[in-house]
Amino acid sequence: MQRITLLFLIGLTLLFCSCRSDFETVASNGELGFSTDTVYLDTIFTNLSSSTYALKVYNHSKNDINIPVIKFAKGLNSKYRMSVDGSQGNQGKLFENVTLLAKDSLYIFIETTVKSDNSTPTEFLYTDQIEFDSGANLQKVELVTLVQDAILLYPNRNADGTTETLPIGNEKIYGFYLDKNDPIHGNELLFTNKKPYVIYGYAAVPEGETVTFEPGARVYFHANSGFIVSKNSSIHINGTKSTTDKLENEVIFSGNRQQPDFNYVPGQWGTVWLQKGSTNSTIQNLTLKNATVGLLIEDNDGKATPIKNTQIYNCTHFGIQAKNAMIEAENIVINYAGEASLACTYGGNYKFSHSTFNNNWSSPEQLAVYISNYLDGATPETKDLTAATFNNCIIYGSYSNEMLLGKKSGAAFVYQFNNCLIKSNKTNNSDYQFDTDPVHYNGIVLNKDPKFFNPNINNFNIDNTSPAFAKGNSAYLIPLDILGITRTLPPDLGAYQSKPFPK
């Protein structure tokens, strides 16, 4: 009997509390608080979903309130979607009778997918509002999204329903061959500056073909995407000097996440891979960022790949990873790489002039420059490094040693550093006798801070107080710096001609 009475009292208490809560909920009075009055959903590409953005709604009153309606001003036709405290409501557009407890808050998560049509410009604003309640109690939060019309390139579906793939050795990866006669895009081997391109999967250049990038071309890669330049094919990146900070004439490769939070996030996409046997490639005025490996170049066909006026930033492993390759480069800047900004491995032939190799990655294992004549597990394990020459360069970073020579017997290892600023703690090793080994080192500035303007945001300008100022050798002069500024004599080290820092 006592047990029955106890259960009855518990049930009565629960019933009373639930009724009391309903009874005490009052209508909202137009005094909700918001974490922001405008939600900016940063640049998205047409037909692609944005990231999810959060809006926090506050009830500062002492009463539990009922919000009669939360909806978009454009109603069910809005291109935005939202969830309110995990609820999807009516198609993610309309929510009725939302309870918000006293001194509490709720989250609204917002995203959008916007389709542009041929009548819209290449960039336009899509806007809407989230409306809370109505009439005298109506409150609004603005929504603003910049939408860019873009050309989407991705693997097609085969006749059997499978998705197009690319053969890589014995494996297959998600990717496709660029088609110069594509029925939708026309010549996919020509990237213009009329619209940005968004690539899903690996876009491969067919054997014997050349992919060309015009000045101002913009290419954005989804996760696990990139370019493959296959045997007997070429890549021509034809950027030119820009006159503003917008890099209007540079060719830019980046991830397709356009929010400011992703500006410096490495590993958002794969790599640009110049495979064994690729030929006659040229790269100039390219800005590449946020990849896993920026440029992966291996086993050229005996012709050096020229790389000029190129910046590579924020790569998970390497800015440039070369394997038994041939590269002749000038005015190169690389920073932030999980392993090495520049890795010239497994032999090859390399020449770098007036380049800045820095590494501010937050790991003591990082390097600015790594050079080797071997590859563990390969057959053969060693290959000749016939030349690794660095002229008027800066090799620096945030840790005590930023250069490493990986030398094994059984293959040539030829290297020379002329008029370079180098950060190294290996002066007791016979391979690093910077002052007494003229065969390998001449005019070295050792362990001096080059006083970059701001390496944390990849600004590697120097001024006349830098130890790299006027320390170059005119015999290795590249007349114009990476910005097209005429170098003075004797030249400064690195990719930038010195100038006063802005105040």
Side-chain angles (χ1 to χ4, degrees):
M1 185 65 181
Q2 290 180 343
R3 182 178 180 183
I4 294 174
T5 302
L6 179 60
L7 290 173
F8 174 77
L9 291 174
I10 292 173
L12 186 62
T13 301
L14 291 173
L15 179 62
F16 173 77
C17 289
S18 62
C19 292
R20 180 182 177 86
S21 177
D22 290 341
F23 180 78
E24 290 189 351
T25 299
V26 299
S28 63
N29 58 4
E31 295 184 0
L32 296 170
F34 304 104
S35 56
T36 181
D37 58 3
T38 304
V39 178
Y40 296 96
L41 288 78
D42 287 289
T43 305
I44 64 169
F45 297 105
T46 179
N47 297 325
L48 298 182
S49 293
S50 70
S51 295
T52 301
Y53 292 77
L55 171 70
K56 202 168 185 180
V57 183
Y58 301 95
N59 174 13
H60 296 301
S61 75
K62 298 179 180 180
N63 298 313
D64 299 344
I65 64 173
N66 176 67
I67 307 171
V69 63
I70 300 175
K71 65 181 181 67
F72 293 114
K74 294 181 179 178
L76 298 180
N77 293 321
S78 178
K79 301 301 182 183
Y80 291 102
R81 302 177 298 278
M82 61 179 163
S83 65
V84 177
D85 260 6
S87 171
Q88 301 304 310
N90 183 354
Q91 304 175 51
K93 318 282 187 182
L94 174 65
F95 301 79
E96 296 179 311
N97 298 316
V98 177
T99 298
L100 182 53
L101 300 180
K103 303 295 183 180
D104 203 354
S105 61
L106 60 80
Y107 275 103
I108 295 179
F109 293 101
I110 310 143
E111 60 182 9
T112 185
T113 305
V114 181
K115 180 179 180 180
S116 66
D117 55 44
N118 294 331
S119 65
T120 60
T122 57
E123 288 190 0
F124 66 98
L125 288 178
Y126 183 76
T127 63
D128 202 345
Q129 298 170 327
I130 303 178
E131 296 183 343
F132 298 81
D133 211 332
S134 60
N137 293 330
L138 176 64
Q139 292 180 268
K140 298 180 180 180
V141 172
E142 302 289 334
L143 302 175
V144 180
T145 304
L146 176 63
V147 182
Q148 242 183 319
D149 194 10
I151 296 171
L152 307 183
L153 301 177
Y154 49 86
N156 294 316
R157 286 200 173 273
N158 300 315
D160 61 1
T162 60
T163 302
E164 190 176 1
T165 58
L166 293 171
I168 303 295
N170 296 323
E171 304 292 330
K172 290 185 177 181
I173 64 171
Y174 181 70
F176 60 100
Y177 284 104
L178 296 166
D179 184 354
K180 62 182 178 182
N181 297 306
D182 185 80
I184 298 174
H185 305 122
N187 185 3
E188 293 180 336
L189 292 171
L190 178 62
F191 285 70
T192 72
N193 58 16
K194 295 178 181 178
K195 292 182 181 181
Y197 296 78
V198 181
I199 293 181
Y200 281 72
Y202 275 85
V205 186
E207 186 170 348
E209 300 286 355
T210 297
V211 62
T212 301
F213 298 84
E214 293 183 344
R218 301 289 190 260
V219 185
Y220 301 96
F221 298 90
H222 193 61
N224 302 313
S225 301
F227 271 113
I228 293 177
V229 185
S230 51
K231 182 180 179 182
N232 295 323
S233 64
S234 309
I235 184 169
H236 290 173
I237 298 176
N238 298 330
T240 59
K241 294 287 193 301
S242 299
T243 58
T244 74
D245 292 339
K246 293 182 179 180
L247 303 177
E248 68 277 4
N249 296 322
E250 302 276 326
V251 174
I252 296 180
F253 291 170
S254 182
N256 68 338
R257 304 294 294 272
Q258 295 298 288
Q259 312 90 286
D261 289 349
F262 286 83
N263 281 346
Y264 300 98
V265 177
Q268 295 180 43
W269 58 284
T271 185
V272 177
W273 184 6
L274 279 63
Q275 291 185 323
K276 180 177 181 179
S278 63
T279 183
N280 293 322
S281 292
T282 60
I283 299 172
Q284 61 181 5
N285 291 91
L286 168 69
T287 296
L288 185 158
K289 56 185 181 179
N290 305 335
T292 300
V293 174
L295 298 175
L296 173 58
I297 306 173
E298 57 181 5
D299 283 303
N300 312 62
D301 66 347
K303 299 178 182 178
T305 299
I307 306 175
K308 300 180 180 180
N309 307 317
T310 290
Q311 306 172 68
I312 302 175
Y313 302 126
N314 310 321
C315 295
T316 309
H317 296 293
F318 304 97
I320 296 177
Q321 182 182 16
K323 297 180 180 179
N324 193 38
M326 298 183 67
I327 297 173
E328 186 165 342
E330 59 190 51
N331 290 332
I332 307 301
V333 181
I334 309 178
N335 186 35
Y336 279 118
E339 296 185 53
S341 292
L342 171 69
C344 300
T345 64
Y346 203 31
N349 188 295
Y350 311 97
K351 181 181 178 182
F352 294 92
S353 301
H354 277 291
S355 295
T356 299
F357 304 105
N358 192 76
N359 203 345
N360 274 35
W361 191 275
S362 55
S363 164
E365 303 301 320
Q366 71 184 38
L367 292 166
V369 172
Y370 174 63
I371 304 168
S372 83
N373 64 349
Y374 70 92
L375 184 64
D376 288 333
T379 304
E381 189 175 53
T382 59
K383 286 190 177 181
D384 288 339
L385 178 70
T386 56
T389 305
F390 294 78
N391 300 322
N392 294 346
C393 293
I394 295 175
I395 299 171
Y396 200 75
S398 54
Y399 287 90
S400 59
N401 184 67
E402 292 292 346
M403 185 185 79
L404 183 64
L405 305 175
K407 179 171 63 174
K408 283 191 176 182
S409 60
F413 194 89
V414 180
Y415 63 98
Q416 189 172 58
F417 295 83
N418 300 308
N419 298 85
C420 293
L421 186 155
I422 298 174
K423 190 174 187 181
S424 174
N425 63 1
K426 294 186 175 295
T427 53
N428 293 328
N429 187 297
S430 61
D431 291 329
Y432 303 87
Q433 297 305 301
F434 301 105
D435 296 326
T436 60
D437 179 6
V439 174
H440 297 113
Y441 303 102
N442 296 283
I444 301 303
V445 178
L446 185 63
N447 293 330
K448 299 290 186 181
D449 184 350
K451 299 182 180 179
F452 297 128
F453 179 64
N454 192 343
N456 293 323
I457 58 171
N458 299 319
N459 188 328
F460 291 95
N461 285 291
I462 61 171
D463 67 6
N464 59 9
T465 68
S466 170
F469 174 74
K471 292 298 192 299
N473 189 326
S474 299
Y476 312 120
L477 177 70
I478 304 300
L480 301 179
D481 80 348
I482 191 171
L483 300 176
I485 300 172
T486 301
R487 286 191 166 96
T488 55
L489 298 178
D492 303 328
L493 305 182
Y496 291 92
Q497 167 67 23
S498 58
K499 62 180 182 180
F501 291 156
K503 295 182 180 179

